[in-house]
Every structure is written in C-alpha cells, then in structure tokens.
Amino acid sequence: MMRKRGHFRHGLRLYYGAHLHRRLFWWFGLAIFLTTASVNMLISVLGPAWSERPWRGLVFVGVPAVILWIASGKVARRIARPLYDLVQVSQDIGRGNLKARARIGPWDIGETAILSRSVNDMAARIERQLADQRELLAGVSHELRTPLARLRVLVELARTRGADGNTMDDIEREAVEIDTLVGELLASARLDFQALSVRPLDAIESGRRAIERAGLPAETLEVATTPDLAKFSGDPTLVARALANLLDNAHKHGRGVQRLRVDARPGFVVFQVEDAGPGFASGEEQRVFASFYRGGEALRDGDGADGGARPETSLGLGLALVARIARAHGGGVRAENRPDGGARLTLELATQ
C-alpha cells in the first residue's frame, strides 16, 4: 500500500511539475491578459462612456480573460499529456515491463506521435532481443550438458582404464563441440550489441583461410572473380564464423564439401558452398536459416562426410547465425538444390 501511495505521489509531482505544461499554462495566461489589457486601454481611450462605469469594462474584459485562461489550461494539458504518457512508459520499461507502449491515435502525425512510435519500436526490439537471448541461452545450456556429460564419462574411463587413442579422440571431439557452441554464442552476442569491427577484406583470401581451417584440400576453393572485385568491408571474425558454419554444415549434413566458390556481382561478394549430399527436402530451403531448426530428413541429419552415422549434436544455430551475419553486412543468404545433385548455400556480403 505504501509503495502504491508513493508511486501515486510521484506521478502527481511528475504531472503537475511538468515544465512544458506549466510554461504553456503561464504563457497562455500572460498572452491572454496582455491582450485583454490592451483592449481595455483602447476602450478607455476611445470610449469615454466606459470610464463612467469602469466595472462594465472589468466584467467585459475580465470574464472572457478568465474563461480563456481556463481553456488555455486545458490546451496546455492536452499538449503536455502525451509527453507525460511517454515518461510513464519509459519508466515502466525501465522497471522491466517491456510490454508497456505509448498510446498513439490513428491520425496522430505530430512530433510527439513520431517520438511515441520510436519509443514503442525501441521497446518492441528490446523485448524481442531479450526473448531471443533467453531462448538461445536455454537451448545452449541444454545442449552443453550433453558434451559435458560425455566428457566426464570419457575422463573417468581414461582414469580407470588408461587413455587410449580412441578415448583421446573422443575427448578432443567433445572439446571442439563445446568450443564451437561458445564461439557461436560470442558471435551472436556481437551481433546483438552491434559490436562489429569492420575493416577492408579480400573475399579470395577469406575463402582460402576458411578452407585451411576446415582441413580441406586447396583445390576445394574455386575463384570465379578477379582480385579487384573481391574486395569488401566486413568484420573478419564474423565473416570467418559464417564461412566455417557453411563448411561445417556441408560436412555434417551434406556428405562433405565439394566446392567453395568465390564470385562477385555488382555491389556484393558471393560465397557458394556446394555439398555431395541428397539436397534439401521440399520447402526446407527457407526453414534451414531459422534458429534451432535441425532438418527433417534422415539423410541430412545423420550422415557424415564418410558416409557413416554421426550423432547429431548440432544446436541448429549455425545457419541462423550465418543469416544474421549476412544481414549485418548488408547481404543475404539462400539455399537451393543443384540440378546435378547436392545442395548449394549462397552467402552474399555487400562490398560497401
């Protein structure tokens, strides 16, 4: 009860102490009384009959002035009220109520309406971003438990039976998986906070480094553009993460990478990753870039590059992160099936 009462008193002080409201009210009143005083002086000078009965002039001028001043208070309140509502909404957002929105009429087009829409858009973006982060953290925390549990089992086996080559390979694989998840989280955080470090890059060199990091032969890289058209600006860490995710997706779900093609078109550099898998199921081309989507086809879910079964431990963030990186660089992504078999993922990044 005390908290509600204090909040009510604070609201009253905020409303009646609003500088714009008070200034409008006083300036309206001053203008009205200066006008009526001038009219009264003119009446006194030009109309001698009024001077015999001054109370008539007072009534004639004073009553309308009071009425106009009361009306000016209503006008001042109407002008200042949207700003007061905006203050209330911003305070609600600051207290954690991200569903708070400013009221906007269908025909409101003034500066206050523009400001209200900006505040509403800001609140919606913050609400959506926090919801995405909560979903991401929940999914990652769930997925991290699996490799961590396997690591504990493998370490216990290594202690009791001795660490053979297979056990060490398994431990290394689980550590790499955890490192990949953490890397995707950090890249997602950089995008969320728009902490991009943009610098001049070379698409051919970026593709060559991505091939080397993935342990693929150099002939996997195909260059279909000239060096001068391969220049662009971007965040090297995020671009490297996007290419790594495309190659990793082809390795895990497409039976291996066949080709990484570097090309260019007006205003964009283009990276295309082609795999040797069965391709996408009908309608899957758009869904693969959604967060937490893992695909519905067994061939794409379970086959590794060697044709053997691989446990599916992907969180389903790899291609979603690629799409976000592309949008942050003014580009886009698309997925398609090749006529001769296999899938093709295309990443386009703006050169400027």
Side-chain angles (χ1 to χ4, degrees):
M1 180 63 70
M2 292 296 295
R3 184 176 180 180
K4 290 183 178 179
R5 193 174 299 169
H7 180 65
F8 177 73
R9 285 198 298 267
H10 173 72
L12 288 177
R13 286 196 301 270
L14 179 66
Y15 182 74
Y16 289 104
H19 296 292
L20 179 62
H21 187 175
R22 188 169 61 248
R23 282 184 296 177
L24 286 172
F25 180 67
W26 286 112
W27 281 109
F28 272 142
L30 180 62
I32 290 168
F33 276 99
L34 284 177
T35 302
T36 53
S38 301
V39 172
N40 193 24
M41 290 178 60
L42 288 174
I43 292 174
S44 299
V45 172
L46 299 177
W50 289 97
S51 58
E52 298 177 0
R53 294 181 179 146
W55 60 271
R56 288 186 177 181
L58 180 62
V59 173
F60 181 78
V61 175
V63 172
V66 172
I67 295 174
L68 286 174
W69 199 17
I70 294 174
S72 72
K74 299 292 185 180
V75 173
R77 178 181 178 183
R78 185 176 181 83
I79 294 175
R81 181 58 186 261
L83 295 178
Y84 170 72
D85 290 341
L86 275 178
V87 173
Q88 293 289 85
V89 169
S90 63
Q91 288 179 341
D92 289 340
I93 294 173
R95 284 191 284 265
N97 179 19
L98 297 179
K99 295 188 179 298
R101 297 291 186 272
R103 292 174 294 181
I104 306 174
W107 305 106
D108 291 345
I109 57 174
E111 290 82 354
T112 304
I114 295 173
L115 179 59
S116 298
R117 289 188 180 93
S118 299
V119 171
N120 289 348
D121 291 342
M122 177 193 68
R125 286 196 300 270
I126 293 175
E127 183 181 16
R128 183 168 58 252
Q129 187 179 64
L130 290 179
D132 291 342
Q133 288 179 353
R134 283 193 294 268
E135 185 180 8
L136 176 65
L137 290 175
V140 169
S141 62
H142 174 74
E143 292 295 327
L144 280 175
R145 291 191 184 99
T146 301
L148 287 174
R150 286 198 293 261
L151 270 178
R152 286 194 293 268
V153 173
L154 291 170
V155 170
E156 188 64 27
L157 289 174
R159 285 176 178 174
T160 56
R161 303 179 183 177
D164 56 11
N166 291 333
T167 302
M168 296 305 297
D169 290 341
D170 290 340
I171 291 176
E172 182 182 8
R173 185 161 49 248
E174 301 301 332
V176 168
E177 183 180 338
I178 294 175
D179 180 69
T180 300
L181 285 172
V182 173
E184 291 186 352
L185 267 181
L186 293 176
S188 179
R190 293 185 68 177
L191 290 170
D192 286 337
F193 293 101
Q194 298 181 352
L196 275 68
S197 178
V198 179
R199 63 188 66 177
L201 297 175
D202 185 286
I204 300 174
E205 182 61 25
S206 298
R208 184 177 295 114
R209 290 182 180 177
I211 289 295
E212 292 176 356
R213 291 192 185 100
L216 298 170
E219 55 268 22
T220 307
L221 180 66
E222 177 184 308
V223 179
T225 184
T226 57
D228 58 324
L229 295 178
K231 307 298 183 183
F232 71 105
S233 298
D235 187 305
T237 302
L238 294 178
V239 171
R241 169 59 60 183
L243 294 177
N245 285 3
L246 289 175
L247 295 172
D248 184 64
N249 178 79
H251 174 72
K252 286 183 177 179
H253 309 301
R255 296 176 180 172
V257 179
Q258 278 197 338
R259 180 168 48 241
L260 170 59
R261 191 170 187 265
V262 179
D263 201 349
R265 64 179 183 87
F268 295 90
V269 294
V270 181
F271 299 93
Q272 291 182 326
V273 175
E274 299 177 352
D275 63 41
F280 296 104
S282 178
E284 193 180 23
E285 295 91 336
Q286 298 299 323
R287 297 197 301 272
V288 293
F289 297 109
S291 297
F292 307 108
Y293 181 77
R294 304 190 187 202
E297 293 294 320
L299 285 173
R300 293 192 64 80
D301 279 347
D303 292 344
D306 54 1
R310 289 172 59 91
E312 176 57 47
T313 56
S314 172
L315 182 58
L317 291 174
L319 295 184
L321 186 59
V322 172
R324 293 187 62 195
I325 292 172
R327 289 193 296 269
H329 287 80
V333 289
R334 65 177 181 272
E336 57 189 341
N337 290 325
R338 293 187 293 150
D340 54 345
R344 179 189 294 123
L345 293 172
T346 301
L347 168 66
E348 296 180 344
L349 304 177
T351 55
Q352 298 295 331

